[in-house]
Amino acid sequence: MDVRLERLSKSFGANPVLKSLDLTFPERRFVTLLGPSGCGKTTLLRIIGGLDMADEGTLRIGGVDAREIPAHKRPVNTVFQSYALFPHLTVWENVAFGLKMKRVAAAEVERRVAAVMEMVEIAEFAGRKPAQLSGGQKQRVALARAIVNEPQVLLLDEPLGALDLKLRKQLQVELLGLQRRLGITFIYVTHDQEEALVMSDRIAVMRAGRIEQVGDAEALYERPRTRFVGQFLGSVNLIDATVVRRDGQQAVVQTEVGELRVDMAGQTSPAALQETFTLAIRPEKVTLCPPTEAAGENRVRVRVEELIYIGSETHYILRAGAQTLSVEMMNVKVGSQGFDIGQDAAVYLPPGGLIVLDD
Ligand code: ATP
């Protein structure tokens, strides 16, 4: 079942929180709402779940206007970061609660609860109370309690936010597997960019109540349209550029580090048509080379200012005049990588790795 928003808006008093959102969550896909704290993610999830109402615009769930479906009848369930389990009920009773409320026959409750508890691997805790579980186990109970109702759409509000990194990574993989097996639409809220990249078929980046950009992980990472998206999804080097000449799909720009050739094919930002714009390049797209290789197109002489060795990679902070560049290189050579603090070096900025950004 898909979920569609058209010009959806919501204010709390004089404070507009969602500003005319247009967005589709396709059927059976894993879509993530990614954005900083306070950008409106939870509010949007609450509106889809029927816990809150939009002021304007439409919300359709499976093609039906959501105003015609009361909250308890929506084919939607929510998993909250806080788990929201009933403390006085056992794990089994927590999972069975929704079905009992719907007066599902006892034998079917038994069957469905057993199947779901098996699926999320909590069968052995059936008789325990929530207080006797770890955070990860509680989260599995919360998941079981939502999916036992067989929703067509599952809303997940930072469900892994309270867990430590290792458990979070493990549950990320499990959640993905679950989504594929259940074949239902997942709408997942997080402010963790890595989690969004790992899990989503599609990511909608939100900023102050608006959708800034929508795309799959690769499109958003490789082709951010704005500075906000570029910086929110990983790190970028930003370079001010003024166009010197254009030649078909190529442009030559003047920058703080000299002239650079930029591949203009595939640039998605409207700023690509302007005469001045900001260029971005991801640190791992820049190649660090010996100073003897400083001559030639898109090559820049630099000095190594800082060097952070992290095992598989080394991160370098480099200076070229007033411009600072960060570069991340895999440590593919055995032994020293050959660059030290204070040393002269050169970098190559590939024309295809330079991204034109808006704002
Ligand atoms: P976080 O990641 O911190 O949970 P979020 O993106 O989910 O943030 P929301 O919880 O949707 O953000 O809140 C968006 C804005 O709306 C915030 O400025 C918040 O203070 C405000 N807000 C949320 N709920 C209410 C409410 N019931 N009354 C008034 N303002 C509210």
Side-chain angles (χ1 to χ4, degrees), residues 160-316:
L160 310 181
L163 307 176
D164 68 50
L165 186 64
K166 193 160 168 234
L167 190 57
R168 207 155 76 212
K169 294 213 172 218
Q170 182 192 337
L171 281 178
Q172 282 173 5
V173 176
E174 288 185 23
L175 266 180
L176 259 182
L178 193 66
Q179 192 265 338
R180 302 282 185 258
R181 259 180 291 147
L182 292 172
I184 63 177
T185 310
F186 272 38
I187 303 180
Y188 191 93
V189 161
T190 184
H191 59 256
D192 180 334
Q193 51 106 359
E194 194 185 317
E195 190 159 288
L197 289 174
V198 169
M199 302 188 72
S200 325
D201 295 315
R202 186 186 264 222
I203 302 170
V205 179
M206 287 183 70
R207 175 192 194 183
R210 294 186 200 281
I211 305 286
E212 184 99 347
Q213 192 172 349
V214 184
D216 64 23
E218 189 179 309
L220 286 187
Y221 186 80
E222 297 285 333
R223 288 282 163 219
R225 270 204 295 271
T226 64
R227 189 185 283 236
F228 178 83
V229 175
Q231 290 179 317
F232 203 78
L233 280 154
S235 37
V236 279
N237 292 295
L238 299 172
I239 304 169
D240 292 331
T242 304
V243 175
V244 176
R245 60 180 180 276
R246 292 178 193 265
D247 181 11
Q249 300 284 30
Q250 306 284 319
V252 173
V253 299
Q254 186 63 47
T255 73
E256 187 63 46
V257 296
E259 278 196 354
L260 296 175
R261 190 162 63 82
V262 182
D263 199 346
M264 299 303 277
Q267 299 287 354
T268 55
S269 167
L273 300 171
Q274 297 169 5
E275 292 310 297
T276 61
F277 42 69
T278 304
L279 283 175
I281 186 162
R282 300 278 183 202
E284 73 279 10
K285 308 283 191 210
V286 184
T287 312
L288 183 60
C289 13
T292 49
E293 294 177 33
E297 186 180 80
N298 286 30
R299 288 177 187 270
V300 179
R301 188 176 288 282
V302 295
R303 178 174 292 258
V304 179
E305 275 202 338
E306 198 59 72
L307 173 162
I308 304 146
Y309 175 80
I310 56 163
S312 61
E313 296 172 15
T314 302
H315 297 182
Y316 301 89

Side-chain angles (χ1 to χ4, degrees), residues 11-13 15-18 35-46 52 81 157-158 189-191 206:
S11 299
F12 288 112
N15 181 21
V17 173
L18 300 177
S37 186
C39 72
K41 308 180 294 292
T42 299
T43 303
L44 177 54
L45 222 55
R46 286 174 56 82
D52 222 327
Q81 178 178 356
D157 194 356
E158 307 231 12
V189 161
T190 184
H191 59 256
M206 287 183 70

Side-chain angles (χ1 to χ4, degrees), residues 139-152:
Q139 194 50 268
R140 286 167 201 265
V141 179
L143 260 175
R145 201 178 54 170
I147 62 182
V148 78
N149 296 309
E150 299 176 355
Q152 293 299 308

Side-chain angles (χ1 to χ4, degrees), residues 96-107:
F97 186 82
L99 297 180
K100 287 190 170 174
M101 290 295 283
K102 285 193 206 155
R103 304 192 184 285
V104 174

